[in-house]
Structures are given as structure tokens and as C-alpha cells.
Amino acid sequence: MLNNKTIVVGVTGGIAVYKACDVVSRLKKLGANIHVVMTKSATEFVSPMTFQTLSNNFVTVDMFEEVKTWEVEHIELAKKADAFLIVPATANFIGKLANGIADDMLTTTVMATTSQLIVAPAMNTNMYKNPIVQENIEKLKRHGCIFIDPTSGLLACGDTGAGKLETPEKIVASVEKFFEEKEAKRDLEGIKILVTAGPTIESIDPVRYLTNRSSGKMGYSIASEAVKRGASVILVSGKTDLEVPSGLDKYIQIESAEDLYEAIIKEYNACDVVIQSAAVADYKPKTYSDKKIKKSDGDMIIELSRNKDIAQELGKIKGDKILIGFAAETNDLLENAKRKISKKNLDFIVANDLTTEGAGFKSDTNIVKIINSAGEISEYPKLLKTEVADVILDSLLKIMDNKDK
Ligand code: PMT
């Protein structure tokens, strides 16, 4: 059911507009409060009166039509929306949205909303496959839009292929799924989590450095899953090729282990939890040469000095914070992981064996064992790093629940 949910439905101009009537009717029957905004071209296919009758609310088309309330209408609608569904979405509308164009009632309202945008495209198959349209869709996905992909079949223009609006049943099911997922797991609301991710870089001279193989995927997955579950998240990351997850409280990019330490210490007091998945260099070159070191005929020895063990330092000033570490091992996984728990004063450690296929660095999956401070071990099969992130966050919640008892 969608009781108490306000959904703004944007209708753009294509033959599939008639199916949007069915979508509005179904959403209304599920208890949602629906406000329809149509583009001028959509009104060429179905009159606003149809949507007005189905939604039991005034339909808005024109920015400058006579006002029905004293509120600034597009802003008011944008604020009211719990979700914003565009059905059908034309190539033109998708293009405008992807490029920040707000030149009518619908595009200005969409631009002003902070609610989830759900877009159901419908268009000719060649238009849909056009790389420019696909690039626009990808761009919007990166900004967090949910797309309900069109199906394949005989299109109104006579062509056959992808571009047919998904059925009203499935569109409504996607909207329901969005609300279900949103409400199911807001179990980290009110918790401030600092996540570290990626590799550190220790410079030798202006062109050379020491680093490791961390891609950042594990840490970024933890950060984005924690955001989805309602946490306030600070991500402190070494250099990676990954897109910064949306919805973070703060993103801090660091280079060296020393930068990482300073960034954590600055934020530490305000955090409830620190999850340390960054692969931190234990050593750095003893001296940094500000000029490129010239090669000579013989071998070269670079002397290294010890970096701070950041996790151990945090362990010393733990207070009531929850500290979670990782153990990246190639041998004696459990013994090494257990030793790290007590040395670094951790609540639990996530141990991954770097020698196992599908675990550790770079892959989209990981195979982990979670070991708590009492030495209890939970083993997991090969999971996507996003799933491992959820397992870690579930373990965190268990610890928080036990603390409250
Ligand atoms: O980034 P990906 O490609 O997705 O790969 C994920 C990962 C393999 C990097 C990740 O799953 C992982 O294991 N991260 C920890 C890597 C590591 O440094 O492990 P460690 O066993 O050397 O260190 C133990 C813990 O102490 C870690 O939480 C580490 O962040 C911390 N540490 C280590 C050294 C140091 N000088 N300071 C630290 O705080």
C-alpha cells in the first residue's frame, strides 16, 4: 500500500501517455496522493481533465497559468513529493534533465525536488539506442535516478525493438518496491560512521611512490550501503578510480598514511563508529627527495621508516566508540586477525584472505570471516562487496544493541 505517500507524476508527450492514465489510477487505488504535471505536448495526446479526474487533484501544465493556490506551485509540488515518477519519459525530456535544462513547469519542478526520481522511458527504438540518449540515461543513473527500462516489441511507429513503455503493473510495482526498500532498512539513522577506503601513497620523489593494490571498492561499498540505511557517513579515501557515493556527509581525499591519520583525528570526536577498510602503508621512505632521484649503475637501497599504526592509535583513545578493522592476510588468517583485534582494541575485525580467488583487492566480491572481541567467528561465502558491506553493518548493529542492554 502507498497510504500517506505523495507521488508527483510527470507526463511527457508520447503515444504511451494513455498508459500513464492507468498508472495514475493504480497508484491512487493503492492509497497514494497523486499530483500530475504534464508537458504541453503530453496534453496533445490526453487532456489534463482525464488525469485530474483520476488523481482527484488539479493538473499543472503551464508555469504562468492562473494560480490555484498562493504557494509557488513548482516549489510546493517539488517539496511535497515522496517520489517523482516520470511516465512516459521522452528522449527530449531525458536530454533536458541530464543537462540541467528547466524551461517548463515539469522540468522546473523536477529540478527543485530532492525526492527520488523514477523514470520510465518510452520512445522509438533507434531513439532509445542512440548513444546520446544512452549517455544521458547513464548520467542520470549516476546521479541516483531509478530507471524502469522499456521493453521490446512492436512500437506505435511500426518499428519493432526496445522502447516500449513497461506495463503499468510493473511500473507501479517498481514504485512500491522503492518505498518498501526505503522503509525496510533505515536502521542506521542517527549514527555517524567514518569509513576509510582505498590505498595510501608514500612518495619517494616527485615522480615515484610506494602504494598497494587497493581499489577502494570494499570501503566505498560500506559507505554507500551505510548511507542507504540512514547513517551519516564521512568517507576518507585514498586515490581511486571510483565515483564518490552520493548522500555522504563528507568526502575527504587523502594521499599518505599521515594524511589519513590527520583526517580521521579531525573528525573522530563527532563519530560513533570508525570502519577501517583502507589499505594503509606500514612504512614510508625515510627521506623524500624533492628532485627526481637520478639512476646510477649500481643497485639502490631506499630506507623506510615506520608509519603510525592508525588503528592502534584510535584504539588507545577509543572511549565509547565502536572500532572495526580489517585484516588483509596471505597466511595464518585467523591467528593474525585475532592478534590485531586485541592490539588495536577493535570491536570486531573483518578478515579477508588475499590469496583466495574472488577475495580481497580489486574484485567486486569478497570472502570474509568476522571475528569479534570474544573470539567468535562468523564465516561467509563469496558475496558481492555491497553484500559484505551489509553483513558488516548488521554486525555493527548487533554490537550497538548489546551495548544498549
Ligand atoms: O579496496 P579493495 O580493492 O576493495 O580491497 C579491499 C581490501 C583488501 C583493501 C580490504 O578488504 C582490506 O582488507 N583492508 C585492510 C587492508 C590492511 O591494511 O590490512 P592490515 O591487515 O595491514 O591492517 C589491519 C587494520 O589496521 C586495517 O583495518 C588497516 O586499515 C589498519 N592499519 C594498518 C596499518 C597502519 N599503518 N594503520 C592502520 O590503521
Side-chain angles (χ1 to χ4, degrees), residues 196-199 212-220 240 242 257 260 264 275-283 306-312 314 324-329 340 344 346 349-352 354 359-363 365-366 368 385:
T196 72
N212 59 64
R213 297 178 199 280
S214 171
S215 65
K217 286 181 185 171
M218 190 63 253
Y220 279 51
T240 74
L242 304 175
L260 178 62
I264 298 176
I275 306 181
Q276 304 166 71
S277 75
V280 189
D282 288 313
Y283 295 92
R306 190 75 171 83
N307 268 332
K308 265 197 188 76
D309 186 321
I310 301 169
Q312 194 175 341
L314 298 184
I324 300 169
F326 272 72
E329 306 295 342
K340 284 177 185 172
K344 300 180 190 225
L346 300 170
I349 201 158
V350 184
N352 38 201
L354 303 182
F361 292 124
K362 286 197 162 43
S363 59
T365 57
N366 205 353
V368 302
K385 280 184 173 161

